[in-house]
Amino acid sequence: MLELKNITKYYDVAGKAFPALAGVSINFKKNEFVAILGASGSGKTTLLNIIGGLDRYTSGDLLVDSKSTKEFTDTNWDAYRNATIGFVFQNYNLISHLSVLDNVEMALRLSGVSAKERHERAVKVLVEVGLEDHINKRPNQLSGGQMQRVAIARALVNNPMVLLADEPTGALDSKTSQQIMELIQVISKDRLVIMVTHNSEIANQYSDRIIRLVDGKVVEDTRPVGISHLDEKNDKLLNKKTSMNYMTALKTSFKNLLTKKGRTLITALAGSIGIIGIALVLSLSGGMTSYVNKMQSDTLAGYPVSINQTVATDIFARRSEQFNQDTTGDFITDPIIYSYDQASNTTIHTNIIDQTFINYIEQMDPNLYNSISYTKAVALNVIAETSAGGYLKVTSSTSSNPFFTNGQVMSEIPNNPEFIQTQYDTLAGTYPTQYNELALVVDKQNTVDVSILNSLGITVEDSYTFNDFIGKSFKIIPNDLYYNQVGSNFVPRTDYETMYNDPSAITITIVGILRVNPDASSELLSTGLGYTTMLTDYIINQNESSAIVNAQIASPDTNVFTGLPFNTTVTYDAVMKVIGGDSTPVGIQIYPKSFDSKDSIKAYIDAYNVDLSSEQQIVYTDLAETFSSTISSLINTITIILSAFAGVSLVVSSIMIGIITYVSVVERTKEIGIMRSLGARKKDISRIFDAETVLIGFAAGVIGVLLAILLNIPINLVISHFIGVPGFSSLTLINAVELIALSTILTLIAGLIPSGIAARKDPVIALRTE
């Protein structure tokens, strides 16, 4: 089964080669009990380690089932030790933080045996060695003889073909020694047992064959075995591979960490410091982002993305292309100054706002905007009755652009009541919900410009009550009543009293008074009267069949107001829109929910322009672009800088965990040797320590996140006290998971060096470590 051919082994001692074995040739067969005798330093333990694959011979050859091991890789040797060899050591070499059962199961874990089968086999072998009542104890709770029985059970659990015993009774009393030797003798009936001892009495009493070594040479072999007597080949010796999975490594490391609860907790707490810092930064950053987003939403209420029918554009906006200039980003790098006539290069672009584009806009994601308002050019012919009993025409604005100045008496309110009411408080009455309802908009000090009051026919006084305005009515005069046909032309009537009292006049009434909310960052509406889009649509519907509209449709080349042909300044479409014959908007205002959504809206419009000629493309105006990019960049920069500072402590704590892991490697050097003797691969050893750092990193991440959540409670109380915003600082679930993952990954990286050191340790030297 085993053949040793002229094995030599040299150790480097003080730079000189010292021979431990000098040409040893021995053959072994299965089912024999071989005792190797020799004085200290004779090479018997070295010979045992070479047979067991823990140590490497310098020259010669070890044949396993007639197969040379000269070309064995580390993986081959690991599999050989796990499947073929079982070690029993003089000082037991049990892993102290594992139970008896776990110690015995370790070899099976390395073999990839399932948990259920591991347990059954381990319990069975422990019963066989008489330890059925001690399987859940720790090694330090056992006597010397019991610990040696555990070591024997561990050696036997994988059913090895060879049992190697190194002074198995050296640390036992005579009675216990006898019991252990009788157990080993029984074991030798169905496998090869090679025992190293210096006790010739034990060797003579229990072994079948005695080999004596002196100075690394065989000087006696009581029953030498010839090659012809070797046993048949057993494929198990060479074909089995070891493999410890990650879960096994995690369980092993977890049990080790539990034996050092105090140090593990302190390490995890230290590692959590960086996580706490970053978590608090992210919490505050998230709160700041939410807070700023709300402010942005309020601010952007007055800064929409505007699409007007006519836009002044610079036809050489990309002047670098015109002059073939070298640029870096938006800046010219050439040392040249160019002349440029902006006036001559500015042209009027006409946006084609047709039903196709309107449909496209209405298909936009509604989560991107608070409101979309359409500007229509229809004229509202409003007449008011003055306080003195007279009548006058009220000048109204036909634009829903929010940048109108005070003094415009009537303006359309953007068609999003829910959004408007988040920006404005209703001081009296109700918010207008019908086409014939108006709202009076006052400023922060409840004032209205006297020019507006005069235009509405209201006597100017120092102050008013809300009831002075609530219920006040005006009349809108439809086209057929307002315009008088003279020949083929139409002219406005000036008899305001008659029109006001005509039954066909449309009554509109002030039903509420609105004022900007103190929390709003900008004023969407101008002071004066605000009417709903329902009124605009109602008037267009009323006027589209009026005489003036029909007359204009019948004379598409002649202006019904002047009788003259249309030109580039006054067009047929423009007149039709003013008199209510065309409901197509002349402008669109899109109010984004945030700066980010504003960029998405612009990208959405840009996508519409793809493949269109320059004349057909939509040109929009974004007055908030510079402001938005500055604020977003500022928040991101602050977050990055604060996270970087907190990240320094995280890196430092990760390095500290790496150092502690190295200390653990030093402390567990003997355990590493034990694992290697059981067939653990180098990657299995590194995997165990990697698993330990993963567990510590994970624990540090969880602790850091939990402590950050707790710290957010007093932080929020302080912030709420100063700025009145509850729940300002909060850590999102995604950020919490990401931080735990970050902590785990960083500590894993920090532990790679010490785990690599552990994997490279010589198993023979590791076993000798105390």
Side-chain angles (χ1 to χ4, degrees):
M1 185 170 67
L2 295 179
E3 302 174 61
L4 278 69
K5 290 186 175 181
N6 198 30
I7 294 291
T8 64
K9 175 65 179 178
Y10 289 89
Y11 289 111
D12 187 15
V13 179
K16 294 183 179 180
F18 177 80
L21 296 176
V24 173
S25 297
I26 309 174
N27 296 330
F28 298 95
K29 63 179 182 178
K30 69 176 183 178
N31 302 344
E32 64 174 337
F33 189 169
V34 181
I36 300 177
L37 291 174
S40 296
S42 62
K44 57 186 185 297
T45 299
T46 299
L47 177 62
L48 200 70
N49 288 336
I50 288 175
I51 294 173
L54 283 176
D55 211 349
R56 305 287 184 270
Y57 47 83
T58 304
S59 63
D61 196 3
L62 169 64
L63 282 75
V64 182
D65 279 343
S66 302
K67 181 180 175 81
S68 172
T69 59
K70 285 184 178 180
E71 304 300 324
F72 264 27
T73 63
D74 286 342
T75 301
N76 295 135
W77 283 115
D78 296 336
Y80 167 74
R81 286 195 303 275
N82 182 256
T84 307
I85 304 297
F87 282 96
V88 179
F89 301 98
Q90 176 181 356
N91 53 359
Y92 325 126
N93 283 346
L94 301 178
I95 301 176
S96 61
H97 61 83
L98 298 180
S99 68
V100 168
L101 182 63
D102 288 331
N103 268 279
V104 175
E105 283 187 5
M106 183 57 67
L108 297 176
R109 287 194 178 96
L110 296 170
S111 301
V113 177
S114 67
K116 181 180 179 181
E117 184 181 349
R118 277 203 314 264
H119 181 79
E120 291 175 352
R121 288 171 60 176
V123 171
K124 181 176 180 295
V125 74
L126 284 167
V127 171
E128 289 175 354
V129 298
L131 292 176
E132 62 270 24
D133 296 330
H134 305 280
I135 60 175
N136 294 317
K137 292 182 179 180
R138 295 289 177 86
N140 60 6
Q141 296 173 305
L142 304 177
S143 65
Q146 289 171 331
M147 284 192 284
Q148 193 62 287
R149 288 175 183 271
V150 175
I152 293 172
R154 182 183 60 190
L156 295 176
V157 73
N158 222 13
N159 195 24
M161 302 305 297
V162 181
L163 184 68
L164 302 180
D166 187 3
E167 301 281 2
T169 61
L172 304 176
D173 57 60
S174 58
K175 181 178 180 180
T176 305
S177 296
Q178 180 180 353
Q179 293 172 347
I180 294 300
M181 288 308 302
E182 289 175 351
L183 178 60
I184 293 175
Q185 189 176 41
V186 172
I187 293 169
S188 69
K189 300 303 180 181
D190 59 357
R191 72 194 74 233
L192 171 62
V193 175
I194 302 175
M195 177 182 68
V196 165
T197 183
H198 63 276
N199 190 325
S200 57
E201 292 182 6
I202 289 179
N204 290 326
Q205 182 178 354
Y206 294 102
S207 64
D208 304 324
R209 175 184 175 188
I210 295 177
I211 297 174
R212 192 179 302 275
L213 290 182
V214 176
D215 296 332
K217 295 180 180 180
V218 177
V219 297
E220 180 184 1
D221 188 345
T222 59
R223 294 178 63 181
V225 176
I227 296 178
S228 61
H229 293 91
L230 291 178
D231 305 290
E232 295 180 357
K233 183 176 179 181
N234 187 336
D235 289 337
K236 177 185 176 184
L237 299 180
L238 300 175
N239 294 338
K240 193 171 182 181
K241 302 297 181 184
T242 58
S243 177
M244 174 184 282
N245 58 44
Y246 285 101
M247 188 55 65
T248 300
L250 283 170
K251 289 180 180 178
T252 302
S253 297
F254 182 71
K255 289 180 179 179
N256 175 64
L257 292 174
L258 288 180
T259 63
K260 305 163 186 173
K261 298 183 184 69
R263 189 171 75 178
T264 300
L265 180 60
I266 292 173
T267 304
L269 283 172
S272 69
I273 294 174
I275 293 295
I276 294 172
I278 296 179
L280 291 178
V281 169
L282 291 176
S283 298
L284 290 168
S285 174
M288 177 62 72
T289 300
S290 299
Y291 181 68
V292 170
N293 281 342
K294 185 179 183 305
M295 292 182 62
Q296 289 174 351
S297 180
D298 295 338
T299 302
L300 286 172
Y303 294 87
V305 176
S306 298
I307 303 167
N308 297 317
Q309 192 168 39
T310 57
V311 184
T313 61
D314 184 351
I315 62 174
F316 288 139
R318 294 188 59 81
R319 293 187 285 276
S320 60
E321 296 178 2
Q322 174 193 6
F323 299 121
N324 295 319
Q325 297 163 333
D326 182 20
T327 63
T328 300
D330 293 329
F331 294 89
I332 302 301
T333 56
D334 292 337
I336 304 171
I337 297 176
Y338 300 91
S339 62
Y340 175 70
D341 186 352
Q342 183 174 3
S344 63
N345 287 317
T346 299
T347 186
I348 300 299
H349 175 82
T350 300
N351 283 322
I352 303 175
I353 306 177
D354 54 14
Q355 193 60 44
T356 300
F357 180 67
I358 293 172
N359 292 339
Y360 180 79
I361 289 296
E362 290 180 346
Q363 292 171 4
M364 184 167 53
D365 183 0
N367 294 318
L368 296 177
Y369 58 85
N370 285 315
S371 178
I372 297 178
S373 290
Y374 298 96
T375 303
K376 297 179 181 179
V378 62
L380 300 183
N381 302 312
V382 182
I383 296 178
E385 183 179 8
T386 67
S387 301
Y391 299 89
L392 57 82
K393 186 174 185 296
V394 178
T395 302
S396 63
S397 170
T398 59
S399 172
S400 59
N401 190 325
F403 300 106
F404 46 70
T405 60
N406 290 334
Q408 291 179 324
V409 181
M410 297 184 65
S411 300
E412 184 174 300
I413 301 173
N415 187 26
N416 191 333
E418 293 81 8
F419 173 59
I420 297 299
Q421 291 180 84
T422 64
Q423 305 293 308
Y424 281 80
D425 295 326
T426 302
L427 301 182
T430 60
Y431 187 87
T433 58
Q434 302 296 324
Y435 78 91
N436 58 351
E437 294 180 346
L438 305 174
L440 175 66
V441 182
V442 299
D443 65 11
K444 298 177 182 178
Q445 285 76 39
N446 287 12
T447 62
V448 179
D449 193 272
V450 294
S451 63
I452 296 177
L453 296 174
N454 285 327
S455 298
L456 295 175
I458 299 173
T459 303
V460 177
E461 298 177 4
D462 291 337
S463 63
Y464 306 86
T465 66
F466 290 157
N467 290 332
D468 291 332
F469 292 96
I470 298 294
K472 184 171 181 56
S473 297
F474 306 89
K475 297 291 183 71
I476 294 181
I477 311 303
N479 283 352
D480 288 339
L481 180 60
Y482 186 73
Y483 293 108
N484 183 35
Q485 185 171 5
V486 180
S488 59
N489 296 338
F490 287 80
V491 295
R493 289 190 173 96
T494 57
D495 186 358
Y496 297 147
E497 180 179 2
T498 300
M499 290 187 289
Y500 184 90
N501 293 307
D502 192 283
S504 63
I506 301 166
T507 301
I508 54 176
T509 305
I510 298 176
V511 297
I513 299 175
L514 305 182
R515 183 179 65 190
V516 67
N517 189 292
D519 295 329
S521 300
S522 63
E523 295 185 44
L524 172 63
L525 308 177
S526 179
T527 57
L529 293 182
Y531 57 90
T532 67
T533 57
M534 291 181 288
L535 178 61
T536 304
D537 295 336
Y538 182 83
I539 296 302
I540 292 175
N541 185 60
Q542 290 286 312
N543 290 338
E544 64 182 359
S545 59
S546 63
I548 189 173
V549 170
N550 290 329
Q552 186 62 78
I553 293 174
S555 304
D557 298 324
T558 304
N559 188 338
V560 295
F561 289 110
T562 64
L564 299 175
F566 290 110
N567 52 46
T568 55
T569 303
V570 180
T571 65
Y572 171 80
D573 290 338
V575 171
M576 285 293 287
K577 288 174 181 176
V578 168
I579 63 178
D582 186 353
S583 61
T584 303
V586 295
I588 302 175
Q589 291 74 42
I590 307 172
Y591 299 88
K593 284 189 174 181
S594 69
F595 288 125
D596 291 336
S597 62
K598 174 184 63 64
D599 293 334
S600 299
I601 291 170
K602 291 163 61 178
Y604 185 77
I605 298 173
D606 291 337
Y608 178 84
N609 290 330
V610 174
D611 298 330
L612 293 179
S613 64
S614 59
E615 292 80 10
Q616 294 176 313
Q617 290 183 353
I618 298 296
V619 177
Y620 53 82
T621 304
D622 177 20
L623 298 179
E625 182 173 12
T626 302
F627 183 49
S628 68
S629 60
T630 301
I631 292 295
S632 297
S633 298
L634 179 62
I635 294 175
N636 291 336
T637 300
I638 292 173
T639 301
I640 292 172
I641 292 175
L642 293 178
S643 297
F645 278 113
V648 171
S649 62
L650 179 59
V651 172
V652 171
S653 59
S654 297
I655 293 174
M656 181 200 68
I657 291 175
I659 295 172
I660 293 175
T661 303
Y662 176 73
V663 172
S664 179
V665 169
V666 174
E667 291 177 345
R668 298 169 64 188
T669 298
K670 190 164 188 175
E671 180 182 336
I672 294 170
I674 296 170
M675 298 282 288
R676 293 302 306 277
S677 72
L678 296 176
R681 302 167 298 172
K682 290 182 179 179
K683 65 170 62 177
D684 294 329
I685 300 300
S686 63
R687 187 172 289 174
I688 288 174
F689 287 96
D690 287 342
E692 187 170 306
T693 58
V694 164
L695 290 172
I696 293 177
F698 179 80
V702 172
I703 292 173
V705 167
L706 292 177
L707 289 177
I709 292 173
L710 291 176
L711 288 172
N712 274 332
I713 296 174
I715 289 174
N716 281 326
L717 291 175
V718 173
I719 293 176
S720 178
H721 174 74
F722 284 102
I723 66 175
V725 179
F728 184 92
S729 180
S730 63
L731 186 66
T732 66
L733 178 60
I734 293 177
N735 284 340
V737 173
E738 288 174 344
L739 286 175
I740 293 173
L742 175 64
S743 174
T744 304
I745 292 171
L746 284 180
T747 51
L748 174 61
I749 293 173
L752 289 178
I753 293 177
S755 67
I757 293 173
R760 291 189 294 271
K761 282 187 175 295
D762 187 308
V764 174
I765 296 176
L767 283 169
R768 294 173 184 165
T769 304
E770 295 297 334

